[in-house]
Amino acid sequence: MKQAYISDQDFQNINCTDQPFEIGEYENCTFRNCSFEYADLSGFSFTDCEFITCNLSMTKLVKTAFRSVYFKECKMFGLQFNECNGFGLSFTFDGCALNNAVFYTTSIKKTVFKNSKLIETDFAESDLSQSVFKNCDLSGAIFDRTNLEKADLRTSFNYSIDPSVNRLKKAKFSLSEVHGLLYKLDIEIDRN
């Protein structure tokens, strides 16, 4: 079955439950104010696309390809990025809510997370080397055997990262949030 190839298109105010997208490859497309909530985007391919103020919560992403995709101010609760097509997987998140998202075992080096909520997001066993977490809330985020080498978390907060089970060589942290690295020691840190 031949899949559609759609390029250089702008999609606005579309609700996938009323008007489903055609499965295929989308290149250099912009999706603005679209709702993909609970949609099945399995097998879709997005290259050099932008999603702006979209709702992708609970969207199914089995073998979905995201290559150089930019998400801005999107609601993305519970997404299973670990089910995506790993070939060329790359994206940037700016002002997004990625609560309860799963990146388990995903290789997403050099990913930028900016002004985003990553509450209870699962980064276990993922490769986040050289990634940037700029002004992100990482409350309850799971870092377990995660590669954070050369990652920058200086402006992020509410993280709990155990240095004994995660790779942190040359990672950057702020002094004001260093307690997030020392929580396992059960010591009291005066924040004044």
Side-chain angles (χ1 to χ4, degrees), residues 15-167:
N15 186 330
C16 271
T17 54
D18 302 331
Q19 183 180 351
F21 279 91
E22 188 175 6
I23 190 167
E25 184 176 344
Y26 292 79
E27 187 170 351
N28 200 35
C29 293
T30 301
F31 303 88
R32 192 179 309 272
N33 299 319
C34 295
S35 177
F36 298 91
E37 190 173 25
Y38 293 101
D40 187 352
L41 296 181
S42 297
F44 280 67
S45 177
F46 300 97
T47 304
D48 296 317
C49 291
E50 292 184 344
F51 291 82
I52 301 166
T53 60
C54 293
N55 184 354
L56 292 109
S57 295
M58 304 305 293
T59 300
K60 193 172 181 180
L61 300 175
V62 177
K63 295 190 173 30
T64 305
F66 290 114
R67 297 183 180 103
S68 299
V69 174
Y70 178 71
F71 295 98
K72 180 163 178 70
E73 297 175 9
C74 291
K75 185 177 174 185
M76 308 174 80
F77 295 164
L79 293 184
Q80 305 278 327
F81 288 101
N82 58 319
E83 295 181 344
C84 288
N85 180 340
F87 181 74
L89 186 64
S90 65
F91 26 56
T92 298
F93 301 96
D94 184 358
C96 295
L98 287 145
N99 301 356
N100 300 106
V102 177
F103 291 93
Y104 174 72
T105 69
T106 306
S107 180
I108 47 173
K109 298 176 182 180
K110 299 181 181 179
T111 298
V112 175
F113 298 91
K114 191 163 103 177
N115 302 317
S116 295
K117 291 186 188 277
L118 298 154
I119 297 168
E120 297 185 5
T121 297
D122 185 355
F123 292 111
E125 299 183 38
S126 26
D127 186 349
L128 293 162
S129 56
Q130 300 180 58
S131 292
V132 176
F133 293 84
K134 186 174 182 181
N135 196 36
C136 292
D137 185 350
L138 292 158
S139 300
I142 299 166
F143 294 96
D144 183 21
R145 295 184 304 271
T146 304
N147 184 350
L148 289 162
E149 292 179 352
K150 297 182 182 176
D152 188 344
L153 290 96
R154 288 178 293 180
T155 58
S156 289
F157 48 93
N158 295 329
Y159 52 80
S160 296
I161 301 171
D162 183 350
S164 68
V165 295
N166 294 287
R167 294 170 53 188

